[in-house]
């Protein structure tokens, strides 16, 4: 018989080729001053010294455990940890990132009344103290579709019952967050705490080609979340990049945009969209990029 020992928080840290940053990441989690916590390091078949470093951490702190597995990508690493997580709540940290001290304690104080709490990302995302019981309102008001990150949120673990991150997909967070929102009854944003995201020039976001961006567009269009004019124009930008880089047929549905709800360059682009249509706008965008290329001659 397996003894299932419940605890407050599970922190999941996927590990792959992060020798230089792993210790900083783990240390930032351990100094959160939460005893009732487990930290699951998932060695995703890392071909360097990371597996040994993970094992070393288990000897330093009893709250840490390690999963060693064949390389399968970020989704599989997260899923492997979710399968054994014991915490009432679960959160994720990418192993090249780190947290401000006291972040989790501040967030856990809010979790009794919430299913998800989202907190700030340094130099990237500021949030006010606000709560939503209508997930559509959260999605549009907070423009959450632009920050679907798994790692700056704490979740009630039972939300993941029947939900896992999709395998062999990039931008897996965009596929998964809407599913979790559909099960959540209350989500809050907070100004407390801080997640430090380390930009990776070789990461998915920085190197996304047309094929990967097509997955991003598909994730948004199949999410079932509402689309207002600002969100639609966000999708227009993705569609233009996909068409320019792949030549695939345009899949974004046509709609007339209320230009009065927008401003600046977005307003100008929306006017052109209404007059010319998405297909012509894609061609203009490609033409502009062609003449902006350095050393074109």
């Amino acid at each position: 018989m397996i003894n299932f020992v419940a605890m407050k928080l599970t922190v999941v840290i996927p590990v792959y080729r992060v020798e230089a940053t792993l210790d900083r990441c783990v240390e930032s989690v351990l100094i959160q001053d939460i005893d009732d916590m487990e930290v699951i390091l998932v060695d995703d078949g890392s071909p360097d010294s990371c597996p040994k470093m993970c094992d070393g951490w288990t000897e330093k702190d009893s709250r840490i455990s390690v999963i060693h597995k064949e390389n399968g990508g970020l989704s599989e690493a997260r899923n492997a940890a979710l399968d054994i997580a014991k915490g009432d709540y679960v959160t994720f940290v990418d192993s090249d990132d780190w947290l401000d001290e006291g972040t989790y304690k501040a967030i856990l104080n809010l979790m009794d009344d919430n299913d998800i709490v989202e907190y700030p990302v340094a130099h990237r995302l500021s949030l006010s103290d606000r709560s939503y019981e209508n997930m559509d309102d959260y999605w549009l008001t907070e423009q959450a579709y632009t920050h679907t990150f798994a790692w700056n949120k704490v979740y009630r673990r039972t939300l993941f019952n029947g939900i896992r991150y999709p395998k062999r997909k990039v931008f897996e967070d965009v596929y998964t967050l809407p599913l979790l929102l559909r099960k959540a009854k209350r989500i809050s944003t907070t100004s407390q705490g801080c997640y430090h995201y380390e930009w990776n020039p070789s990461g998915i976001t920085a190197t996304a080609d047309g094929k990967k961006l097509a997955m991003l567009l598909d994730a948004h269009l199949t999410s079932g979340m509402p689309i207002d004019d600002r969100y639609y124009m966000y999708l227009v930008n993705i569609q233009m990049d996909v068409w320019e880089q792949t030549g695939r047929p345009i899949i974004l549905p046509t709609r007339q945009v209320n230009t009065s709800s927008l401003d600046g360059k977005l307003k100008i682009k929306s006017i052109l969209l209404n007059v010319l249509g998405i297909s012509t706008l894609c061609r203009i965008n490609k033409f502009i990029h062609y003449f902006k290329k350095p050393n074109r001659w």
Side-chain angles (χ1 to χ4, degrees):
M1 182 176 179
I2 298 175
N3 290 324
F4 185 87
V5 181
M7 58 186 61
K8 195 74 170 175
L9 179 67
T10 296
V11 182
V12 177
I13 307 178
V15 177
Y16 187 77
R17 291 184 181 270
V18 286
E19 293 171 313
T21 60
L22 179 59
D23 286 346
R24 178 186 64 183
C25 175
V26 176
E27 286 168 359
S28 78
V29 172
L30 295 180
I31 64 170
Q32 294 299 307
D33 193 26
I34 299 175
D35 294 328
D36 196 14
M37 171 180 75
E38 66 173 349
V39 180
I40 304 176
L41 302 177
V42 186
D43 162 35
D44 192 33
S46 191
D48 51 14
S49 65
C50 283
K52 184 177 180 180
M53 293 173 69
C54 289
D55 289 336
W57 272 110
T58 64
E59 298 173 2
K60 298 176 185 177
D61 197 301
S62 61
R63 294 173 292 178
I64 298 178
S65 61
V66 180
I67 297 173
H68 294 289
K69 60 182 290 296
E70 293 184 0
N71 180 253
L74 183 57
S75 286
E76 287 193 17
R78 288 176 179 164
N79 292 342
L82 285 170
D83 288 343
I84 64 169
K86 304 182 187 73
D88 295 330
Y89 309 107
V90 63
T91 190
F92 305 91
V93 185
D94 283 358
S95 45
D96 42 9
D97 302 338
W98 74 100
L99 301 155
D100 274 359
E101 188 172 355
T103 291
Y104 286 157
K105 181 163 283 191
I107 305 307
L108 288 176
N109 286 337
L110 302 172
M111 288 305 301
D112 285 347
D113 299 322
N114 290 283
D115 292 312
I116 304 173
V117 173
E118 181 177 27
Y119 61 96
V121 182
H123 312 299
R124 187 165 183 172
L125 177 66
S126 297
L127 295 167
S128 58
D129 299 312
R130 190 165 181 180
S131 296
Y132 297 88
E133 294 183 356
N134 184 309
M135 299 301 119
D136 292 350
D137 286 347
Y138 160 74
W139 187 254
L140 297 177
T141 302
E142 297 291 340
Q143 295 180 42
Y145 48 84
T146 67
H147 46 93
T148 59
F149 325 123
W151 29 255
N152 74 320
K153 302 170 182 70
V154 176
Y155 313 82
R156 192 175 299 277
R157 182 174 54 83
T158 53
L159 289 180
F160 283 95
N161 291 347
I163 295 176
R164 289 296 185 266
Y165 288 93
K167 299 178 182 179
R168 293 177 292 279
K169 297 280 190 182
V170 294
F171 299 106
E172 65 288 327
D173 299 343
V174 185
Y175 284 97
T176 308
L177 181 59
L179 299 177
L180 299 172
L181 291 176
R182 287 308 179 200
K183 294 180 70 174
K185 292 185 170 128
R186 195 170 191 264
I187 182 171
S188 287
T189 59
T190 179
S191 58
Q192 300 182 74
C194 188
Y195 187 99
H196 292 266
Y197 171 77
E198 186 77 12
W199 174 257
N200 183 354
S202 61
I204 291 172
T205 303
T207 61
D209 56 15
K211 183 178 179 181
K212 292 176 181 176
L213 289 174
M215 288 189 193
L216 174 61
L217 183 59
D218 173 72
H220 281 288
L221 293 181
T222 59
S223 71
M225 301 303 289
I227 301 176
D228 63 7
D229 291 323
R230 188 170 294 274
Y231 183 17
Y232 184 77
M233 292 307 299
Y234 175 80
L235 298 179
V236 165
N237 287 333
I238 301 173
Q239 177 65 87
M240 289 193 299
D241 288 340
V242 171
W243 186 86
E244 178 179 353
Q245 295 184 41
T246 69
R248 293 181 181 183
I250 293 169
I251 64 171
L252 182 65
T254 300
R255 70 185 276 177
Q256 284 287 303
V257 175
N258 179 7
T259 60
S260 64
S261 65
L262 307 173
D263 50 30
K265 292 181 180 179
L266 202 59
K267 185 182 184 74
I268 295 172
K269 185 178 289 186
S270 67
I271 293 172
L272 290 174
L273 174 69
N274 286 344
V275 173
L276 302 174
I278 181 69
S279 179
T280 300
L281 196 61
C282 284
R283 290 181 172 84
I284 292 174
N285 183 66
K286 184 176 181 179
F287 180 80
I288 292 172
H289 286 172
Y290 174 76
F291 279 96
K292 281 186 174 181
K293 285 182 180 179
N295 303 319
R296 186 174 60 85
W297 305 108

